[in-house]
Amino acid sequence: MKPLEIKHRVIGEGEPFICVPVVEQDAQSVIREITYLSQSTADMIEWRVDAFRDFTDYNAIRSVFEAVAPLLGEKLFLYTFRTAHQGGMAQVSAEQLNDLHDLAAESGCVDLVDLEFFEETRPLHKIRRLREMGVSVIASHHDFEQTPPPEVMKMLLEKMCAGGADIVKLAVMPQTYKDVLNLLDVTAQFKEENPDTPVITMSMGALGGISRVCGETFGSCVTFGAHEKPSAPGQFAMKELRQMLDTIHASSQTSQDQQSR
């Protein structure tokens, strides 16, 4: 399989991409934030539509798309409606969620859609349909209560991978440092066994902070940082996150160069 390439950028190789969520409530603030991020060092912008108070007004969503489309340039644009059951800010019916996903796929400016894999009744069908409509799909699962056993985390990633998603994502909440180590180990195993499927993992909260910066070592291809408002516990500020990732990447490159001599 070819590497996943969007807007001439390969996802899953080298330094992890930084994705910054937009969790503003009104259209003007959403557009202002995306305008700022489009000129920042972020690689990817995520619009968390569940935070948008007019998410039931499809014309309002379309208006935001029309406003930000010319601004995005080479920035990847991720569209997410995080349901309350998965830690989001709103709840909708399955029919409404389908409509929201269709709006994204039809927009012409959304590159990726986040799909809560285990909340869908027919996730394989949904992934196939969204991909046919021209967007890439991140199959995701979030556990804000605990970190499942390693074998369960691996099973979750493998099921999402088998469902045909372009990228698989798993976010969990650690109770001990061993939970963080287990997630990193599972991430490395999955990446080794499924090199053609980019994976995103994170251990949330302060305890899991290390998981947000060591993706280049363990295989996680995207990390989420905050500009003004974090969308999940434990996110670093975007600028600090860039400095840490660049430092780790430079160190890794230096080590590789020395070994090749």
Side-chain angles (χ1 to χ4, degrees):
M1 293 179 62
K2 293 182 178 179
L4 178 59
E5 184 176 336
I6 303 175
K7 290 182 174 176
H8 310 294
R9 305 194 66 176
V10 176
I11 302 176
E13 295 181 358
E15 187 170 339
F17 286 5
I18 292 178
C19 180
V20 180
V22 175
V23 291
E24 304 295 340
Q25 295 184 354
D26 63 273
Q28 183 178 2
S29 298
V30 169
I31 294 168
R32 182 176 63 246
E33 183 70 357
I34 292 176
T35 300
Y36 173 84
L37 293 174
S38 69
Q39 302 168 26
S40 73
T41 60
D43 302 290
M44 183 184 297
I45 302 169
E46 178 187 37
W47 184 18
R48 281 285 301 272
V49 186
D50 54 296
F52 185 51
R53 64 178 172 227
D54 293 325
F55 68 82
T56 58
D57 184 344
Y58 298 161
N59 285 330
I61 293 175
R62 291 190 184 98
S63 294
V64 172
F65 285 145
E66 291 174 2
V68 303
L71 308 174
L72 295 168
E74 294 301 306
K75 303 292 186 187
L76 305 186
F77 193 31
L78 166 62
Y79 180 91
T80 298
F81 191 98
R82 183 72 62 235
T83 64
H85 191 255
Q86 286 275 301
M89 304 177 196
Q91 192 60 42
V92 293
S93 67
E95 182 179 359
Q96 286 177 304
L97 192 57
N98 281 332
D99 289 342
L100 288 164
H101 288 152
D102 286 350
L103 281 173
E106 295 167 352
S107 69
C109 67
V110 170
D111 301 300
L112 303 111
V113 171
D114 181 291
L115 185 73
E116 297 171 350
F117 188 86
F118 298 103
E119 304 299 318
E120 293 284 333
T121 54
R122 300 175 64 195
L124 279 68
H125 171 77
K126 184 73 168 287
I127 289 171
R128 189 183 313 115
R129 189 169 68 84
L130 286 171
R131 294 187 71 195
E132 289 172 352
M133 294 175 73
V135 293
S136 297
V137 177
I138 299 177
S140 68
H141 180 69
H142 300 73
D143 191 329
F144 281 81
E145 300 297 325
Q146 63 175 344
T147 297
E151 61 272 17
V152 174
M153 290 193 286
K154 190 173 182 183
M155 177 271 293
L156 293 171
L157 289 171
E158 289 174 345
K159 282 195 172 184
M160 290 189 286
C161 180
D166 297 282
I167 303 172
V168 296
K169 176 189 176 188
L170 177 64
V172 295
M173 184 66 74
Q175 304 301 322
T176 69
Y177 76 90
K178 288 185 179 180
D179 285 340
V180 182
L181 294 176
N182 285 339
L183 176 71
L184 296 177
D185 186 41
V186 167
T187 304
Q189 288 182 42
F190 178 85
K191 182 64 178 177
E192 183 177 357
E193 296 170 7
N194 303 274
D196 296 322
T197 301
V199 58
I200 303 169
T201 63
M202 67 209 67
S203 188
M204 294 182 285
L207 188 59
I210 188 66
S211 70
R212 295 183 179 275
V213 299
C214 63
E216 188 166 2
T217 301
F218 291 92
S220 183
C221 67
V222 175
T223 186
F224 289 74
H227 173 219
E228 293 181 342
K229 300 177 182 178
S231 64
Q235 288 178 355
F236 293 107
M238 171 182 63
K239 293 181 180 179
E240 295 174 357
L241 186 57
R242 173 61 70 193
Q243 291 173 350
M244 288 186 280
L245 292 180
D246 286 349
T247 299
I248 293 171
H249 179 70
S251 177
S252 176
Q253 291 295 109
T254 299
S255 177
Q256 291 177 17
D257 292 343
Q258 291 174 344
Q259 291 176 6
S260 65
R261 290 174 184 171

